[in-house]
Amino acid sequence: MIPAPVSITTRDLPAFEVTNDTRVIATSRDAVPVAAWFARLVASAPSRATPVEVVTSVRAAAPAPGAIVFDLDRGDDRIPGEGYTLDVTDTGIRLAASTPSGLFYGAQTLRQLLPSVVEYEAARRRTLTVPAVRIEDAPRYAWRGAMLDVSRHFFGVDDVKHVIDLLALYKMNRLHLHLSDDQGWRLEIASWPKLTALGGSTEVGGGPGGFYTQAEFVEIVRYAADRFVEVIPEFDMPGHTNAALASYPELNCGEIAPPLFTGIRVGFSTLCHDGDATWRLVDDLVREVAAISPSPFVHIGGDEVEKLTPAQYAAFITRAEAIVRRYGKRMIGWDEVAAVALAPDSIVQVWRPGTPKGDVGQTGAVILSPADRLYLDMRYSPATPIGLEWAGHVDVRRSYDWEPETLIPSLDPAAILGVEAPLWTETIATRSDLEFMMFPRLAGVAEIAWSPRGQRAWDDFRERLAAQAPRWTALGLNFYRSPDVPWRIE
Ligand code: TNX
């Protein structure tokens, strides 16, 4: 199972068999969505899912005979927020949580205890058994994230939903969308329509690009929320802005628009740091995004700015941060922003832990995304066909076998919100490419974020990783058959 749970005890009992007669019970209305999701997963046909019974009197500690009970008790403070306990005997299953997200994560554990054939849409006649176990579980970190760069190559709503499904399988709960960069602006901003009409019209390599309407963004956010994933929007500024600069000349100091850009160079662009149009854009942008994004965070990028002096850069970040806060959001920035004195509620996302800069821990809130461990766009090895190499090769062991608390020795471990694995897409153009770069590494990222430090060891992890392969095959995923992992012939 991945991520490894806090504790798992196997029982000396036969497995529980899920049949067409198995009852699915929710102990409250709020438990119904997760219970219904599970009923569909195990149904003999998608249209034949057992209706969920709402029975509020089965709060007994023992599993109800012949039933799977989804017990959501918001008053139960013995189970931590995102945690759950799962009891399986030969006669029934009881999953208990104090929040809907905890119940959802318990249901993902139950899913992984079922044979991988459960993932085949087209193989619905099968025997489904769950081994008799007791599991107590809760996450190590609150921030268990991935980032998808939809600017360098654009990925449509269905691709993003697919990524969200894969995050949910591994109990990850944040999807950071990198929505603007030199190569493309990807979210409709009603007050600045050319950002997408022109700025969204291409991508790396000169393809057609694309963008999300605000309605499509809201659809992604809802789809994610149903799977307990929060979407964090990023608009990279003041650099990485060529698409915006090409769309509106007034955003350039000098007011001359550059052409659209489809290469992969970085560092050359900047919004005019003190231009009126720049600050109208930042205000309009944050206002429109804040109105449709329920996340408490807006990511403003802030990375790789070569065209401003340090003082100009600092003034820019401070002013952008004030706008983010004015619209009721907390700012996140890449680690370059640590050179600036930040507001106390801002967050630093570290991508170059070894590079000297300001105090990354100054606000007591840090997300770890070390490029030489977690960048999903790095090639696994010289032999793998796609990916960049500037941070080295990141094979499966390298991405898994490290410890967040010792990454930055001077950082107070209490400041670590969690980890996030970015997938930059300069060399990644299709859904199949996304899957190949994500798997197997994403499963390891999920385990770093979820599992207790003491439950993690490479030799054990690689065996559990190998056991995930039939599930990925059933899901139709294109994953990298790393030589680090003892795959078994399926
Ligand atoms: C660095 S990570 C970047 C991105 C690139 C990425 C490629 C960061 C904040 N900036 O603009 O896409 O490297 O690996």
Coordinates of all heavy atoms in Angstrom, one line a residue, residues 118-199:
V118 N -10.0 -4.2 -9.8 CA -11.1 -3.3 -9.6 C -10.9 -2.0 -10.4 O -11.9 -1.3 -10.6 CB -11.1 -2.9 -8.0 CG1 -10.0 -2.0 -7.6 CG2 -12.5 -2.4 -7.6
E119 N -9.7 -1.7 -10.9 CA -9.5 -0.5 -11.6 C -9.9 -0.6 -13.1 O -9.9 0.4 -13.8 CB -8.0 -0.1 -11.6 CG -7.4 0.0 -10.2 CD -8.0 1.2 -9.3 OE1 -8.7 2.0 -9.9 OE2 -7.7 1.2 -8.1
Y120 N -10.1 -1.8 -13.6 CA -10.5 -2.0 -15.0 C -12.0 -1.7 -15.2 O -12.9 -2.3 -14.6 CB -10.4 -3.5 -15.4 CG -9.0 -3.9 -15.8 CD1 -8.2 -4.8 -15.1 CD2 -8.4 -3.4 -17.0 CE1 -7.0 -5.2 -15.5 CE2 -7.2 -3.8 -17.4 CZ -6.4 -4.7 -16.6 OH -5.2 -5.1 -17.0
E121 N -12.3 -0.6 -15.9 CA -13.7 -0.3 -16.2 C -14.4 -1.5 -16.9 O -15.5 -1.7 -16.8 CB -13.7 0.9 -17.2 CG -13.5 2.3 -16.5 CD -14.6 2.7 -15.6 OE1 -15.7 2.1 -15.7 OE2 -14.4 3.5 -14.7
A122 N -13.6 -2.2 -17.8 CA -14.2 -3.2 -18.7 C -14.2 -4.6 -18.1 O -14.6 -5.5 -18.8 CB -13.6 -3.1 -20.0
A123 N -13.8 -4.8 -16.9 CA -13.7 -6.1 -16.3 C -14.5 -6.2 -15.0 O -13.9 -6.3 -14.0 CB -12.2 -6.5 -16.1
R124 N -15.8 -6.1 -15.2 CA -16.6 -5.9 -14.0 C -17.0 -7.2 -13.3 O -17.6 -7.2 -12.3 CB -17.8 -5.1 -14.3 CG -17.5 -3.6 -14.6 CD -17.3 -2.9 -13.2 NE -16.8 -1.5 -13.4 CZ -16.8 -0.6 -12.4 NH1 -17.3 -0.9 -11.3 NH2 -16.3 0.5 -12.6
R125 N -16.8 -8.4 -14.0 CA -17.1 -9.7 -13.4 C -15.8 -10.1 -12.7 O -14.8 -10.4 -13.4 CB -17.5 -10.7 -14.4 CG -18.9 -10.5 -15.0 CD -19.0 -11.1 -16.3 NE -20.3 -11.5 -16.6 CZ -20.9 -12.6 -16.1 NH1 -20.2 -13.4 -15.3 NH2 -22.1 -12.9 -16.4
R126 N -15.8 -10.2 -11.4 CA -14.6 -10.5 -10.7 C -14.9 -10.8 -9.3 O -16.0 -10.5 -8.8 CB -13.7 -9.3 -10.8 CG -14.4 -8.1 -10.2 CD -14.1 -6.8 -10.8 NE -15.0 -5.8 -10.3 CZ -15.0 -4.5 -10.5 NH1 -14.0 -4.0 -11.2 NH2 -15.8 -3.7 -9.9
T127 N -13.9 -11.4 -8.6 CA -14.1 -11.6 -7.1 C -13.3 -10.5 -6.4 O -12.2 -10.4 -6.7 CB -13.6 -13.0 -6.8 OG1 -14.3 -13.9 -7.6 CG2 -13.9 -13.3 -5.3
L128 N -14.0 -9.8 -5.5 CA -13.3 -8.7 -4.8 C -13.2 -9.1 -3.3 O -14.3 -9.2 -2.6 CB -14.1 -7.4 -5.0 CG -14.3 -6.9 -6.4 CD1 -15.1 -5.6 -6.4 CD2 -12.9 -6.7 -7.0
T129 N -12.0 -9.3 -2.9 CA -11.8 -9.6 -1.4 C -10.9 -8.5 -0.8 O -10.1 -7.9 -1.5 CB -11.2 -10.9 -1.2 OG1 -10.0 -11.0 -1.9 CG2 -12.1 -12.1 -1.7
V130 N -11.2 -8.3 0.5 CA -10.4 -7.3 1.3 C -9.8 -8.1 2.4 O -10.5 -8.7 3.2 CB -11.3 -6.2 1.8 CG1 -10.4 -5.2 2.5 CG2 -12.1 -5.5 0.7
P131 N -8.4 -8.1 2.6 CA -7.8 -8.8 3.7 C -8.3 -8.2 5.0 O -8.5 -7.0 5.1 CB -6.3 -8.6 3.4 CG -6.2 -7.4 2.6 CD -7.5 -7.4 1.7
A132 N -8.3 -9.1 6.0 CA -8.7 -8.7 7.4 C -7.6 -7.9 8.0 O -6.5 -8.5 8.3 CB -9.1 -9.9 8.2
V133 N -7.8 -6.6 8.3 CA -6.8 -5.8 8.9 C -7.4 -4.7 9.8 O -8.6 -4.5 9.7 CB -6.0 -5.0 7.8 CG1 -5.1 -5.9 7.0 CG2 -6.9 -4.2 6.9
R134 N -6.6 -4.1 10.6 CA -7.0 -2.9 11.3 C -5.9 -1.9 10.9 O -4.7 -2.1 11.1 CB -7.1 -3.1 12.8 CG -7.5 -1.7 13.4 CD -7.7 -1.8 14.9 NE -7.7 -0.5 15.5 CZ -8.8 0.3 15.6 NH1 -10.0 -0.1 15.0 NH2 -8.8 1.5 16.1
I135 N -6.3 -0.7 10.4 CA -5.4 0.3 10.1 C -5.8 1.6 10.8 O -7.0 2.0 10.8 CB -5.4 0.6 8.5 CG1 -4.9 -0.6 7.8 CG2 -4.7 1.8 8.2 CD1 -4.9 -0.6 6.3
E136 N -4.8 2.3 11.4 CA -5.0 3.6 12.0 C -4.1 4.5 11.2 O -2.9 4.2 11.0 CB -4.7 3.6 13.4 CG -5.7 2.8 14.2 CD -5.4 2.7 15.7 OE1 -4.5 3.5 16.2 OE2 -6.0 1.9 16.4
D137 N -4.6 5.6 10.7 CA -3.8 6.4 9.8 C -4.2 7.9 9.8 O -5.3 8.2 10.2 CB -4.0 5.9 8.4 CG -2.9 6.2 7.4 OD1 -1.9 6.7 7.8 OD2 -3.1 5.9 6.2
A138 N -3.2 8.7 9.5 CA -3.4 10.2 9.4 C -2.1 10.7 8.7 O -1.0 10.1 8.9 CB -3.5 10.8 10.8
P139 N -2.2 11.8 8.0 CA -1.0 12.3 7.3 C 0.0 13.0 8.2 O -0.4 13.6 9.2 CB -1.7 13.3 6.3 CG -2.9 13.8 6.9 CD -3.4 12.6 7.8
R140 N 1.2 13.0 7.7 CA 2.3 13.7 8.4 C 2.2 15.2 8.0 O 2.3 16.0 8.9 CB 3.7 13.2 7.8 CG 4.9 13.9 8.4 CD 6.2 13.3 7.9 NE 7.3 14.0 8.6 CZ 8.6 13.8 8.2 NH1 8.9 13.0 7.2 NH2 9.5 14.4 8.9
Y141 N 2.0 15.5 6.8 CA 2.0 16.9 6.3 C 0.6 17.3 5.8 O -0.1 16.5 5.1 CB 3.0 17.2 5.3 CG 4.4 17.2 5.8 CD1 5.3 16.3 5.3 CD2 4.8 18.1 6.8 CE1 6.7 16.2 5.8 CE2 6.1 18.1 7.3 CZ 7.1 17.1 6.8 OH 8.3 17.1 7.3
A142 N 0.2 18.6 6.0 CA -1.0 19.1 5.5 C -0.9 19.4 4.0 O -1.9 19.4 3.3 CB -1.4 20.4 6.2
W143 N 0.3 19.7 3.5 CA 0.5 20.1 2.1 C 1.1 18.9 1.3 O 2.3 18.6 1.5 CB 1.4 21.3 2.0 CG 1.3 22.0 0.7 CD1 1.9 21.6 -0.5 CD2 0.6 23.2 0.4 NE1 1.6 22.5 -1.5 CE2 0.8 23.5 -1.0 CE3 -0.2 24.1 1.1 CZ2 0.2 24.6 -1.6 CZ3 -0.7 25.2 0.5 CH2 -0.5 25.5 -0.9
R144 N 0.3 18.3 0.5 CA 0.7 17.1 -0.2 C 0.4 17.3 -1.7 O -0.6 17.0 -2.2 CB 0.0 15.8 0.3 CG 0.2 15.7 1.8 CD -0.5 14.4 2.4 NE -1.9 14.3 2.1 CZ -2.8 14.9 2.9 NH1 -2.5 15.6 3.9 NH2 -4.1 14.8 2.6
G145 N 1.4 18.0 -2.3 CA 1.0 18.6 -3.6 C 1.8 18.2 -4.8 O 2.8 17.6 -4.8
A146 N 1.2 18.5 -6.0 CA 1.8 18.5 -7.2 C 1.6 19.8 -8.0 O 0.6 20.5 -7.6 CB 1.3 17.3 -8.1
M147 N 2.4 20.1 -8.9 CA 2.2 21.3 -9.7 C 2.2 20.9 -11.2 O 3.0 20.1 -11.6 CB 3.3 22.4 -9.5 CG 3.0 23.7 -10.2 SD 4.5 24.5 -10.7 CE 4.8 23.7 -12.3
L148 N 1.3 21.5 -11.9 CA 1.2 21.2 -13.4 C 1.4 22.5 -14.1 O 0.7 23.5 -13.9 CB -0.1 20.5 -13.7 CG -0.2 20.2 -15.2 CD1 0.8 19.2 -15.7 CD2 -1.6 19.6 -15.5
D149 N 2.4 22.6 -15.0 CA 2.7 23.7 -15.8 C 1.8 23.6 -17.1 O 2.1 22.7 -17.9 CB 4.2 23.7 -16.1 CG 4.6 24.8 -17.2 OD1 3.8 25.6 -17.6 OD2 5.8 24.7 -17.6
V150 N 0.8 24.4 -17.2 CA -0.1 24.3 -18.4 C 0.2 25.4 -19.3 O -0.5 25.7 -20.3 CB -1.6 24.3 -18.0 CG1 -2.0 23.1 -17.2 CG2 -2.0 25.6 -17.2
S151 N 1.3 26.1 -19.0 CA 1.7 27.3 -19.9 C 2.7 26.8 -21.0 O 2.4 27.1 -22.2 CB 2.4 28.3 -19.1 OG 2.8 29.4 -19.9
R152 N 3.7 26.1 -20.7 CA 4.7 25.7 -21.7 C 4.0 24.8 -22.7 O 4.2 24.9 -23.9 CB 5.9 25.0 -21.0 CG 7.0 25.9 -20.6 CD 6.5 27.1 -19.7 NE 7.6 27.9 -19.2 CZ 8.4 27.7 -18.1 NH1 8.1 26.7 -17.3 NH2 9.3 28.5 -17.8
H153 N 3.3 23.8 -22.2 CA 2.3 23.1 -23.1 C 1.0 23.2 -22.4 O 0.9 23.0 -21.2 CB 2.7 21.7 -23.4 CG 3.8 21.5 -24.4 ND1 5.1 21.4 -24.1 CD2 3.7 21.4 -25.7 CE1 5.8 21.2 -25.2 NE2 5.0 21.3 -26.2
F154 N -0.1 23.4 -23.2 CA -1.4 23.5 -22.6 C -2.0 22.1 -22.5 O -1.9 21.3 -23.4 CB -2.3 24.4 -23.5 CG -3.7 24.6 -22.9 CD1 -3.9 25.2 -21.7 CD2 -4.8 24.0 -23.6 CE1 -5.1 25.4 -21.2 CE2 -6.0 24.1 -23.0 CZ -6.2 24.8 -21.8
F155 N -2.7 21.9 -21.4 CA -3.4 20.7 -21.1 C -4.8 21.0 -20.9 O -5.1 21.9 -20.0 CB -2.8 19.9 -20.0 CG -1.4 19.4 -20.3 CD1 -0.3 20.2 -20.1 CD2 -1.2 18.1 -21.0 CE1 1.0 19.7 -20.5 CE2 0.0 17.7 -21.4 CZ 1.1 18.5 -21.1
G156 N -5.8 20.3 -21.5 CA -7.2 20.7 -21.4 C -7.8 20.2 -20.1 O -7.2 19.5 -19.3
V157 N -9.1 20.6 -19.9 CA -9.8 20.2 -18.7 C -9.7 18.7 -18.4 O -9.5 18.3 -17.3 CB -11.2 20.7 -18.8 CG1 -12.1 20.3 -17.6 CG2 -11.3 22.3 -18.9
D158 N -9.9 17.9 -19.4 CA -9.9 16.5 -19.1 C -8.6 15.9 -18.7 O -8.5 15.0 -17.8 CB -10.4 15.7 -20.4 CG -11.9 15.9 -20.6 OD1 -12.6 16.4 -19.7 OD2 -12.3 15.5 -21.7
D159 N -7.5 16.5 -19.2 CA -6.2 16.1 -18.8 C -6.0 16.5 -17.3 O -5.4 15.7 -16.5 CB -5.1 16.7 -19.6 CG -5.0 16.1 -21.0 OD1 -5.4 14.9 -21.2 OD2 -4.6 16.7 -21.9
V160 N -6.4 17.7 -17.0 CA -6.3 18.1 -15.6 C -7.1 17.3 -14.6 O -6.6 16.9 -13.6 CB -6.6 19.6 -15.4 CG1 -6.5 20.1 -14.0 CG2 -5.7 20.5 -16.3
K161 N -8.3 16.9 -15.0 CA -9.1 16.0 -14.2 C -8.4 14.7 -14.0 O -8.5 14.1 -12.9 CB -10.5 15.8 -14.8 CG -11.4 17.1 -14.7 CD -12.7 16.8 -15.4 CE -13.7 18.0 -15.2 NZ -15.0 17.7 -15.9
H162 N -7.8 14.2 -15.1 CA -7.1 12.9 -15.0 C -6.0 13.0 -13.9 O -5.8 12.1 -13.1 CB -6.5 12.6 -16.4 CG -5.7 11.4 -16.5 ND1 -6.2 10.1 -16.2 CD2 -4.4 11.1 -16.8 CE1 -5.3 9.2 -16.4 NE2 -4.2 9.8 -16.7
V163 N -5.2 14.1 -14.0 CA -4.1 14.3 -13.0 C -4.7 14.4 -11.6 O -4.2 13.8 -10.6 CB -3.3 15.6 -13.3 CG1 -2.4 16.0 -12.1 CG2 -2.5 15.4 -14.6
I164 N -5.9 15.0 -11.4 CA -6.5 15.1 -10.1 C -6.9 13.7 -9.6 O -6.7 13.4 -8.4 CB -7.8 16.0 -10.2 CG1 -7.3 17.5 -10.4 CG2 -8.6 15.9 -8.9 CD1 -8.4 18.4 -10.8
D165 N -7.4 12.9 -10.5 CA -7.8 11.5 -10.1 C -6.5 10.7 -9.6 O -6.6 10.0 -8.7 CB -8.3 10.7 -11.3 CG -9.8 11.1 -11.7 OD1 -10.4 11.7 -10.8 OD2 -10.2 10.9 -12.8
L166 N -5.4 11.0 -10.3 CA -4.2 10.3 -9.9 C -3.7 10.8 -8.5 O -3.2 10.0 -7.7 CB -3.1 10.4 -11.0 CG -3.6 9.8 -12.3 CD1 -2.6 10.1 -13.4 CD2 -3.7 8.2 -12.2
L167 N -3.8 12.1 -8.3 CA -3.4 12.6 -7.0 C -4.3 12.0 -5.9 O -3.8 11.6 -4.8 CB -3.6 14.1 -7.0 CG -2.7 15.0 -7.9 CD1 -3.0 16.4 -7.8 CD2 -1.2 14.7 -7.7
A168 N -5.6 11.9 -6.2 CA -6.5 11.4 -5.1 C -6.2 10.0 -4.8 O -6.3 9.6 -3.6 CB -7.9 11.5 -5.6
L169 N -5.8 9.2 -5.7 CA -5.5 7.7 -5.4 C -4.4 7.6 -4.4 O -4.3 6.7 -3.6 CB -5.1 7.1 -6.8 CG -4.5 5.7 -6.7 CD1 -5.4 4.7 -6.1 CD2 -4.1 5.2 -8.1
Y170 N -3.5 8.6 -4.4 CA -2.4 8.6 -3.4 C -2.5 9.6 -2.3 O -1.5 10.0 -1.6 CB -1.0 8.7 -4.2 CG -0.8 7.5 -5.0 CD1 -1.0 7.4 -6.4 CD2 -0.5 6.3 -4.4 CE1 -0.9 6.3 -7.1 CE2 -0.3 5.1 -5.1 CZ -0.5 5.1 -6.4 OH -0.4 3.9 -7.1
K171 N -3.8 10.0 -2.0 CA -4.1 10.9 -0.8 C -3.4 12.2 -0.9 O -3.1 12.8 0.1 CB -3.7 10.1 0.5 CG -4.4 8.8 0.7 CD -4.1 8.2 2.0 CE -4.8 6.9 2.3 NZ -4.3 5.7 1.6
M172 N -3.1 12.7 -2.1 CA -2.5 14.0 -2.2 C -3.7 15.0 -2.3 O -4.8 14.7 -2.7 CB -1.6 14.1 -3.5 CG -0.5 13.1 -3.3 SD 0.7 13.2 -4.7 CE 1.6 14.7 -4.3
N173 N -3.4 16.3 -1.8 CA -4.5 17.2 -1.6 C -4.3 18.6 -2.2 O -5.1 19.5 -1.9 CB -4.9 17.3 -0.1 CG -3.8 17.9 0.7 OD1 -2.7 18.1 0.2 ND2 -4.1 18.1 2.0
R174 N -3.2 18.8 -2.9 CA -3.0 20.2 -3.5 C -2.6 20.0 -5.0 O -1.7 19.2 -5.3 CB -1.9 20.9 -2.8 CG -2.1 21.2 -1.3 CD -3.0 22.4 -1.1 NE -3.1 22.8 0.3 CZ -3.9 22.2 1.2 NH1 -4.7 21.2 0.9 NH2 -3.8 22.6 2.5
L175 N -3.3 20.8 -5.9 CA -2.8 20.9 -7.3 C -2.6 22.3 -7.6 O -3.5 23.1 -7.6 CB -3.9 20.3 -8.2 CG -3.4 20.5 -9.7 CD1 -2.2 19.7 -10.0 CD2 -4.6 20.1 -10.7
H176 N -1.3 22.7 -7.7 CA -0.9 24.0 -8.0 C -0.8 24.1 -9.6 O -0.2 23.3 -10.2 CB 0.5 24.2 -7.4 CG 1.4 25.3 -7.8 ND1 2.6 25.5 -7.3 CD2 1.2 26.3 -8.7 CE1 3.2 26.6 -7.8 NE2 2.3 27.1 -8.7
L177 N -1.6 25.0 -10.1 CA -1.6 25.2 -11.6 C -0.8 26.4 -12.0 O -1.1 27.5 -11.5 CB -3.1 25.3 -12.1 CG -3.9 24.1 -12.2 CD1 -5.3 24.5 -12.7 CD2 -3.3 23.0 -13.0
H178 N 0.2 26.2 -12.8 CA 1.1 27.3 -13.2 C 0.4 27.8 -14.5 O 0.6 27.3 -15.6 CB 2.5 26.7 -13.5 CG 3.5 27.7 -13.9 ND1 4.1 28.5 -13.0 CD2 4.1 27.9 -15.1 CE1 5.0 29.3 -13.7 NE2 5.0 28.9 -15.0
L179 N -0.4 28.9 -14.3 CA -1.3 29.4 -15.3 C -0.8 30.4 -16.3 O -1.5 30.8 -17.2 CB -2.6 29.9 -14.7 CG -3.5 28.8 -14.0 CD1 -4.5 29.4 -13.0 CD2 -4.2 28.0 -15.1
S180 N 0.4 30.9 -16.1 CA 1.0 31.9 -17.0 C 2.5 31.8 -17.0 O 3.1 31.5 -16.0 CB 0.5 33.3 -16.7 OG 1.2 33.7 -15.5
D181 N 3.0 32.0 -18.2 CA 4.5 32.0 -18.3 C 4.8 32.7 -19.7 O 3.9 33.2 -20.3 CB 5.1 30.6 -18.2 CG 6.5 30.6 -17.7 OD1 7.4 31.3 -18.2 OD2 6.7 30.0 -16.6
D182 N 6.1 32.7 -20.1 CA 6.4 33.3 -21.3 C 5.7 32.8 -22.5 O 5.3 33.5 -23.4 CB 7.9 33.2 -21.5 CG 8.7 34.0 -20.5 OD1 8.4 35.1 -20.2 OD2 9.7 33.4 -20.0
Q183 N 5.4 31.5 -22.5 CA 4.8 30.8 -23.7 C 3.3 30.9 -23.7 O 2.8 30.5 -24.8 CB 5.4 29.4 -23.7 CG 6.9 29.3 -23.8 CD 7.6 29.3 -22.5 OE1 7.0 29.7 -21.5 NE2 8.9 28.9 -22.5
G184 N 2.6 31.2 -22.7 CA 1.2 31.2 -22.8 C 0.5 31.6 -21.5 O 0.9 31.4 -20.4
W185 N -0.6 32.4 -21.7 CA -1.5 32.8 -20.6 C -2.7 31.9 -20.7 O -3.4 31.9 -21.7 CB -1.9 34.3 -20.8 CG -2.6 34.8 -19.6 CD1 -3.9 34.5 -19.3 CD2 -2.0 35.6 -18.5 NE1 -4.2 35.1 -18.1 CE2 -3.1 35.8 -17.6 CE3 -0.8 36.1 -18.3 CZ2 -2.9 36.5 -16.4 CZ3 -0.6 36.9 -17.1 CH2 -1.6 37.0 -16.2
R186 N -3.1 31.2 -19.6 CA -4.0 30.1 -19.7 C -5.3 30.2 -19.0 O -6.1 29.3 -18.9 CB -3.4 28.8 -19.3 CG -2.0 28.5 -19.9 CD -2.2 28.4 -21.4 NE -0.9 28.0 -22.1 CZ -0.6 28.1 -23.3 NH1 -1.5 28.7 -24.2 NH2 0.6 27.8 -23.8
L187 N -5.6 31.4 -18.4 CA -6.9 31.6 -17.7 C -7.5 32.9 -18.2 O -6.9 34.0 -18.2 CB -6.8 31.7 -16.2 CG -8.2 31.8 -15.5 CD1 -9.1 30.6 -15.6 CD2 -8.0 32.2 -14.0
E188 N -8.8 32.8 -18.7 CA -9.5 34.0 -19.1 C -9.6 35.0 -18.0 O -9.9 34.7 -16.9 CB -10.9 33.5 -19.5 CG -11.9 34.6 -19.7 CD -13.4 34.2 -19.7 OE1 -13.7 33.1 -19.1 OE2 -14.2 34.9 -20.2
I189 N -9.2 36.3 -18.3 CA -9.3 37.4 -17.4 C -10.2 38.4 -18.2 O -9.8 39.0 -19.2 CB -7.9 38.0 -17.1 CG1 -7.0 37.0 -16.4 CG2 -8.1 39.2 -16.1 CD1 -7.5 36.3 -15.1
A190 N -11.4 38.5 -17.7 CA -12.5 39.2 -18.5 C -12.0 40.7 -18.8 O -12.3 41.2 -19.8 CB -13.8 39.2 -17.7
S191 N -11.3 41.3 -17.8 CA -11.0 42.7 -18.0 C -9.7 42.9 -18.9 O -9.4 44.0 -19.3 CB -10.8 43.4 -16.7 OG -9.9 42.7 -15.9
W192 N -9.1 41.8 -19.3 CA -7.9 41.8 -20.1 C -8.0 40.7 -21.1 O -7.2 39.7 -21.1 CB -6.6 41.7 -19.3 CG -6.4 42.8 -18.3 CD1 -7.0 43.1 -17.2 CD2 -5.4 43.9 -18.5 NE1 -6.5 44.3 -16.6 CE2 -5.5 44.7 -17.3 CE3 -4.4 44.2 -19.4 CZ2 -4.7 45.9 -17.2 CZ3 -3.6 45.3 -19.2 CH2 -3.7 46.1 -18.1
P193 N -8.9 40.8 -22.1 CA -9.2 39.7 -22.9 C -8.1 39.2 -23.9 O -8.0 38.0 -24.3 CB -10.4 40.1 -23.8 CG -10.4 41.6 -23.6 CD -9.8 41.9 -22.3
K194 N -7.2 40.1 -24.2 CA -6.1 39.7 -25.1 C -5.1 38.8 -24.5 O -4.3 38.1 -25.2 CB -5.4 40.9 -25.7 CG -6.2 41.6 -26.8 CD -5.4 42.6 -27.6 CE -5.3 43.9 -26.8 NZ -4.6 45.0 -27.5
L195 N -5.1 38.7 -23.1 CA -4.1 37.8 -22.5 C -4.3 36.4 -23.0 O -3.3 35.7 -23.2 CB -4.4 37.8 -20.9 CG -4.0 39.1 -20.2 CD1 -4.4 39.0 -18.7 CD2 -2.4 39.3 -20.3
T196 N -5.6 36.0 -23.1 CA -5.8 34.7 -23.7 C -6.0 34.6 -25.2 O -5.5 33.7 -25.8 CB -7.1 34.0 -23.0 OG1 -8.1 35.0 -22.9 CG2 -6.7 33.6 -21.6
A197 N -6.7 35.7 -25.7 CA -7.0 35.7 -27.2 C -5.7 35.6 -27.9 O -5.5 34.9 -28.9 CB -7.8 36.9 -27.5
L198 N -4.7 36.4 -27.5 CA -3.4 36.4 -28.2 C -2.4 35.6 -27.3 O -1.8 34.7 -27.8 CB -2.9 37.8 -28.4 CG -1.5 37.9 -29.1 CD1 -1.6 37.3 -30.5 CD2 -1.0 39.3 -29.2
G199 N -2.3 36.0 -26.1 CA -1.3 35.4 -25.2 C -1.5 33.9 -25.0 O -0.5 33.2 -24.5

